[in-house]
Amino acid sequence: MFFGNLITAVSLRKCFYLSAMVLVLSTLMAAVIIVKLSPLESVKCQPQAVTAAVEWSTLASQSTEASTTQLATHEKKESNDRRYKEMREKMVQNKIARMSRKMRNKVLPLLNSSVVVEPNYNVHIFYYAWYRSMEYDGVWKHWNHDILPNWKKNDKRVFPEGTHLPPADIGANYYPNLGCYSSLDPQVIDLHMRQLKEAGIGVAVVSWTPPSSTDNTDSIMPDLLDAAHRYQLKIAPHIEPYPGRNPINLMEHIRYILNQYGSHPGLYRMRRENDGAILPVIYIYDSYVFPSSAWWELLSERGNLTLRGTELDAIYIGLLVDSQHKNHIKKSHFDGFYTYFGINGFSFGSSWKNWKDLNKFANQNGLLFIPSLGPGYIDTQVRPWNAENTRHRRHGQYYEVAWRSALNSGASTISITSFNEWHEGTQIEPAKPASNKDFTYLDYEPEGPDFYLSLTKWWVQQFADRLNAASSALS
C-alpha cells in the first residue's frame, strides 16, 4: 500500500513537470510565431489596403522603362519581319532562278536549232492591228491607252486616272522590242508574219471592226492577207463588239468581209465535218450577248434568215465564258467555240481543269472545241485595280502548264492569246527591258526577247507530233 502511494505521488510529480514544460515551450513557440508574423498581420488587418508611398519621379522612371521595353519589342518585331521578308524574297529569287535555268535548258536546243517548221493550221493566235504611232501615222493609238475605271462598284480604293503618254509611258506592263510601232507599217506587218511562220503558227485571228466604227481595223486587212500569204499563213476575222452590233447588221458585215476578202488565198478556210464543205472561219467575240434564238435564225438551216447553204455560209466560232454558255452555243447552232481568256480560273471556259469536259461536250454535239491558252496575264497599267487577275509567267512555266492542259484535253485545234495584246500582257511578241522615271516594265530576261516565240515553236511541234500519232492510231 505504501509503495503504491509512493508510485502515485512520483507519477503525479512527473506529470506536473511535463505539463509545465509543455506549457513553457508552447508559450515560447507562440511568442516566436507572433513576432515573425506581426508585420504581415499589421498590413492584412488594416481596414484598407496599405500601399507604400510612390514618388512621381519613380513613377515617371517606371513609365519610361515600360516605354523603352515596348519600343525594343516593336523594333525587334520589325527586325524579325524584315529578316523574314528578306528570307522570303531570297527564296523566291532562288526559285525563279531555278525555273529560269530549267526553261533555258529546255529551250536552249531550240534557240540554236536551224530546223524549219511548217505552219500548223491547227494552231491559231489572236492578233491585234489597232496600234498607231506618231512617227508613222501622226497620231498615237492604243499605246496611249486610257486608265480604265474600276468595274467593281463596291471597291472604294483610289487608283490613278488619265491616259498614258508614249513613247516612254505606254498602256502596257511590258515594252515591245520594236518600240511603239504602227500596225499599218508594211515592215512591221512583214516581220510579224515571218515571226509567226518561224514559230510554226498557221492562222492569225485578226481583231476586226467594220469601216464605219471609230477604231476600225478593216483598212489593214488587205496588207495582212498579202503578207500572210507570202509566208504560207492564213487570216481569220475575229469580229469584235462595236456600237450597235446586232444579228442583222452583223450579217451585213459578214457579207462585206466575204465579198471583200472571200477570194483571197490568205483567208483561212477549213472543212466542215458534217458535209465536207470547205468554208471560211469566223470568230465572234462576246457572241453570248445575243440570245440563242437570234443566232438560231442565222445559223440553223431552218432559220428564217439562215446563212447556211448561202454565200455567207462559214464555220462560225462562238465564245464560251460561263458553264451555261454550252447550251447557248448548242442552241445557237454555232459550229464550235473558243475560250479566249488566258487567265486560268478567271472563268469557267478559261479554267484548264474544265477543258477535257468541254472537249467531250463538243465531241458529243458535233462541235469544234478551241481552248485558248496564254503565257500569262497582267493589265495593271490600264486596269490598276485588277491585280488579282495577274498570272505571272514564271519564266515560261505558266505557258508550259497551259499547253499541257490543252494537249491533254484532246482538242484538235488550239488558239493562243495572244501575239500582241500588250494591254493585257498576254503577248508572245518580243519584248525588251525598259523604264521611265515612274515605272519599270517587265521583260523576258534572262531568256531574251524571242523566248516566247521559241517556246511556242517547241510546243507547236509537240502538238503536231500528238496529232500525227492520233491520226496514225485511227488509220
Side-chain angles (χ1 to χ4, degrees):
M1 183 69 179
F2 173 77
F3 287 106
N5 291 335
L6 182 61
I7 291 170
T8 301
V10 172
S11 298
L12 288 172
R13 190 177 293 115
K14 285 183 178 180
C15 287
F16 173 78
Y17 288 140
L18 288 172
S19 298
M21 289 177 66
V22 169
L23 179 62
V24 171
L25 290 173
S26 299
T27 302
L28 289 173
M29 289 178 66
V32 170
I33 292 171
I34 290 171
V35 170
K36 287 186 173 290
L37 293 180
S38 59
L40 295 176
E41 292 300 316
S42 63
V43 172
K44 285 185 178 182
C45 294
Q46 296 294 328
Q48 293 181 348
V50 175
T51 304
V54 178
E55 297 292 337
W56 283 109
S57 59
T58 304
L59 187 62
S61 175
Q62 290 175 347
S63 176
T64 302
E65 289 177 1
S67 298
T68 303
T69 302
Q70 289 178 347
L71 182 61
T73 302
H74 181 70
E75 289 177 347
K76 184 176 180 181
K77 183 178 183 302
E78 283 189 340
S79 177
N80 289 338
D81 290 345
R82 187 166 53 252
R83 284 199 296 269
Y84 176 74
K85 185 178 179 181
E86 290 172 354
M87 181 183 70
R88 287 286 302 168
E89 288 177 352
K90 189 172 182 180
M91 289 173 63
V92 170
Q93 289 172 358
N94 290 338
K95 184 176 181 180
I96 289 174
R98 289 195 301 271
M99 289 190 295
S100 176
R101 286 194 297 272
K102 178 181 176 182
M103 295 310 296
R104 280 204 309 276
N105 291 338
K106 177 179 289 187
V107 179
L108 188 59
L110 210 67
L111 298 177
N112 297 327
S113 173
S114 58
V115 175
V116 176
V117 295
E118 294 301 317
N120 187 327
Y121 300 118
N122 294 95
V123 179
H124 303 179
I125 192 165
F126 297 104
Y127 182 93
Y128 293 87
W130 54 28
Y131 301 103
R132 304 290 183 267
S133 72
M134 187 65 69
E135 180 180 358
Y136 190 87
D137 307 286
V139 64
W140 292 114
K141 279 192 177 180
H142 276 268
W143 299 119
N144 61 338
H145 202 294
D146 289 341
I147 298 174
L148 300 174
N150 195 341
W151 63 35
K152 305 166 189 172
K153 301 304 181 183
N154 296 326
D155 189 347
K156 303 303 181 184
R157 293 175 294 171
V158 177
F159 294 98
E161 298 177 349
T163 187
H164 291 278
L165 301 173
D169 173 28
I170 66 173
N173 289 72
Y174 291 84
Y175 202 90
N177 197 47
L178 292 178
C180 298
Y181 57 79
S182 170
S183 296
L184 296 176
D185 187 339
Q187 293 183 347
V188 170
I189 296 171
D190 188 82
L191 175 60
H192 283 173
M193 295 302 115
R194 178 161 56 83
Q195 288 172 333
L196 292 177
K197 164 73 182 301
E198 291 173 351
I201 296 167
V203 180
V205 183
V206 178
S207 174
W208 185 90
T209 51
S212 57
S213 60
T214 303
D215 199 18
N216 86 85
T217 54
D218 179 69
S219 60
I220 199 174
M221 287 294 283
D223 290 338
L224 285 171
L225 285 162
D226 289 345
H229 185 57
R230 284 198 302 273
Y231 289 99
Q232 297 84 49
L233 305 181
K234 303 296 180 182
I235 299 291
H238 188 194
I239 300 180
E240 299 275 6
Y242 49 83
R245 189 182 79 170
N246 60 59
I248 302 302
N249 63 33
L250 178 62
M251 182 172 66
E252 293 308 311
H253 290 138
I254 291 170
R255 186 186 308 277
Y256 170 85
I257 290 172
L258 296 181
N259 285 342
Q260 290 291 113
Y261 315 118
S263 61
H264 198 291
L267 189 70
Y268 179 53
R269 296 171 178 271
M270 68 179 296
R271 185 183 301 277
R272 187 161 59 193
E273 289 294 329
N274 62 350
D275 60 4
I278 298 175
L279 300 169
V281 175
I282 298 177
Y283 284 75
I284 301 178
Y285 189 77
D286 276 0
S287 55
Y288 55 84
V289 301
F290 297 156
S292 57
S293 56
W295 283 117
W296 185 90
E297 294 289 351
L298 297 177
L299 302 181
S300 168
E301 292 180 353
R302 294 177 293 153
N304 293 320
L305 300 172
T306 184
L307 307 180
R308 302 305 187 186
T310 74
E311 71 278 7
L312 303 186
D313 204 355
I315 307 293
Y316 289 99
I317 308 297
L319 175 62
L320 183 144
V321 178
D322 297 329
S323 177
Q324 63 266 30
H325 292 163
K326 290 188 295 183
N327 289 329
H328 182 274
I329 293 287
K330 182 179 177 180
K331 290 178 180 178
S332 298
H333 283 238
F334 278 103
D335 298 283
F337 58 95
Y338 70 116
T339 59
Y340 186 75
F341 301 103
I343 314 172
N344 180 40
F346 174 71
S347 68
F348 178 85
S350 71
S351 298
W352 302 334
K353 66 181 182 180
N354 297 326
W355 286 356
K356 279 187 177 180
D357 287 340
L358 285 174
N359 189 59
K360 182 179 179 181
F361 168 81
N363 290 334
Q364 290 172 343
N365 292 280
L367 297 169
L368 177 64
F369 171 51
I370 308 177
S372 305
L373 57 89
Y377 186 95
I378 184 167
D379 64 357
T380 53
Q381 280 289 83
V382 295
R383 300 185 186 99
W385 36 267
N386 196 36
E388 66 188 43
N389 282 318
T390 295
R391 300 294 185 270
H392 297 292
R393 296 190 174 215
R394 294 163 49 207
H395 294 266
Q397 294 219 340
Y398 182 89
Y399 201 35
E400 177 182 10
V401 178
W403 267 103
R404 289 192 186 281
S405 300
L407 267 59
N408 291 336
S409 74
S412 59
T413 302
I414 289 174
S415 58
I416 301 171
T417 307
S418 63
F419 179 76
N420 62 342
E421 219 297 12
W422 290 91
H423 306 312
E424 297 180 346
T426 61
Q427 77 291 331
I428 65 168
E429 183 183 0
K432 67 181 179 181
S435 64
N436 57 44
K437 63 183 181 64
D438 299 316
F439 187 74
T440 298
Y441 294 92
L442 299 171
D443 54 55
Y444 309 156
E445 300 304 319
E447 290 81 16
D450 295 334
F451 176 63
Y452 284 94
L453 290 176
S454 299
L455 199 54
T456 300
K457 176 183 176 182
W458 192 86
W459 279 109
V460 169
Q461 289 176 313
Q462 308 309 304
F463 181 45
D465 291 344
R466 182 168 295 205
L467 289 179
N468 290 335
S471 178
S472 299
L474 290 174
S475 59

